[in-house]
Amino acid sequence: MEPFSIATGTMDHAQNVFIRVHTSAGFYGVGECSAFPMIVGETQDTCLAMAREFARLWIGQDALDIAARLQQLHSFTAGNTTIKSAFDMALHDIAAKHAGLPLYQFLGGEKHPVETDITVGIGTPEKMAEKALAFKQSGATILKIKLGKNANEDVERIRLIRSAVGDEMHIRVDANQGWDFDDAVYALQSIAPYNIQFCEQPMRTWYDDRLPELMRLSPVKIMADESVYNHHDARKQINAGLCHYINIKFSKSGGIFEAKQIHDTAAEKGIACMMGGMLESRIGLSAKLHFAYASPNIKFYDMDTCMLGHLQDPCVGGVTYNDYYLNIVDTPGIGADADEAFLTQCEKFTVV
């Protein structure tokens, strides 16, 4: 993919894993995950190693008992939420196909308009402003701006971007844990006049105890990202008053099953959520769209992964973009699969 920079590093390729879980009923479920080592601590290689172990656990088991199958993975190993999310996705694909329903209907949802933001990676303030203006001219109405490298430059980035795109565009920012407390206070107070919707994860998670103080000082609302992997994290963040919003990502939650529990925990407390992700292809993105359709407390959509410079598309079927709006046809399951021609280029193994 085209190089893409955030506060924690630069990625020039996506470290994705695609799986198929076959059933005795004669059909299979698909899953995809995207390792992002600078955030989740997994790589493509670690995901592949754990996938071999997970696959052995499920041989001869009931694919429709999703909770039990996922508990097997959790009992086998802590963490490894990225590769767990691919297995979770495959189970949900199987269950929806078995029911003859698109996944969002299987999850009890219905279609509604989903408009994604589009992300401007970290660069010079001038280059970022040029990129933001180009996105506006292409029809985007919501910008997500990556910050967190240098607080003074970050303020200049936002000043130039707002000047370039005008007042009508929504701007949200993501520091990816790049600031310390003092820099976060300075940056958030300084960019507030530019009408910022919210800031994702301003500081490292080990500064979570300082979030109440930051929230008192910041005119910009705070969204928890790396601080929330599961619904227990969500409960603690919400009860301690550490965030205004929560970003849900399958690579953190371990998939749809836990993501729904995060969503429901936040909904009970009136904390809106965002549907986010790593660098998934349209396969993983399709599952995210189904989940978004079935999750009324998801109010923000950061689902621009496949618009950020993927140089190959390994997906057949799946989600489509109409400008910055997403849609998917009503076929059973996730409705996406991997292109067989693409798979011939890939490392492959089978566990039986």
Side-chain angles (χ1 to χ4, degrees), residues 57-58 61-76 91 257:
L57 297 174
W58 282 3
Q61 301 294 310
D62 180 3
L64 298 179
D65 192 344
I66 294 175
R69 297 292 73 74
L70 294 176
Q71 187 56 54
Q72 281 183 284
L73 307 188
H74 299 322
S75 297
F76 181 77
L91 286 184
F257 188 84

Side-chain angles (χ1 to χ4, degrees), residues 164-240:
V165 303
D167 295 333
E168 67 273 17
M169 291 195 79
H170 295 291
I171 293 180
R172 53 188 64 155
V173 304
D174 184 2
N176 282 114
Q177 307 182 81
W179 296 321
D180 62 20
F181 178 80
D182 291 336
D183 281 344
V185 172
Y186 166 76
L188 292 172
Q189 289 181 347
S190 299
I191 66 176
Y194 301 108
N195 190 20
I196 305 303
Q197 195 173 35
F198 55 77
C199 174
E200 287 184 61
Q201 200 70 31
M203 304 181 296
R204 288 281 183 180
T205 59
W206 52 69
Y207 293 128
D208 279 359
D209 62 316
R210 302 207 68 181
L211 281 170
E213 185 181 1
L214 179 62
M215 290 175 67
R216 288 193 298 271
L217 295 171
S218 172
V220 178
K221 292 185 181 297
I222 304 299
M223 175 178 283
D225 183 359
E226 289 90 342
S227 291
V228 175
Y229 274 61
N230 55 53
H231 73 282
H232 298 295
D233 294 335
R235 170 180 50 79
K236 290 188 290 184
Q237 288 275 313
I238 294 167
N239 289 347

Side-chain angles (χ1 to χ4, degrees), residues 3-7 118-125 127-129 131-132 135 144-147 149 157 161 174 176 304 308:
F4 183 75
S5 297
I6 65 173
I118 186 71
T119 304
V120 179
I122 292 180
T124 66
K127 289 294 185 183
M128 291 176 70
K131 190 72 170 179
F135 284 144
K144 176 174 173 177
I145 310 300
K146 291 291 189 178
L147 303 177
K149 282 284 191 180
R157 290 178 170 105
I161 288 169
D174 184 2
N176 282 114
D304 60 343
L308 292 177

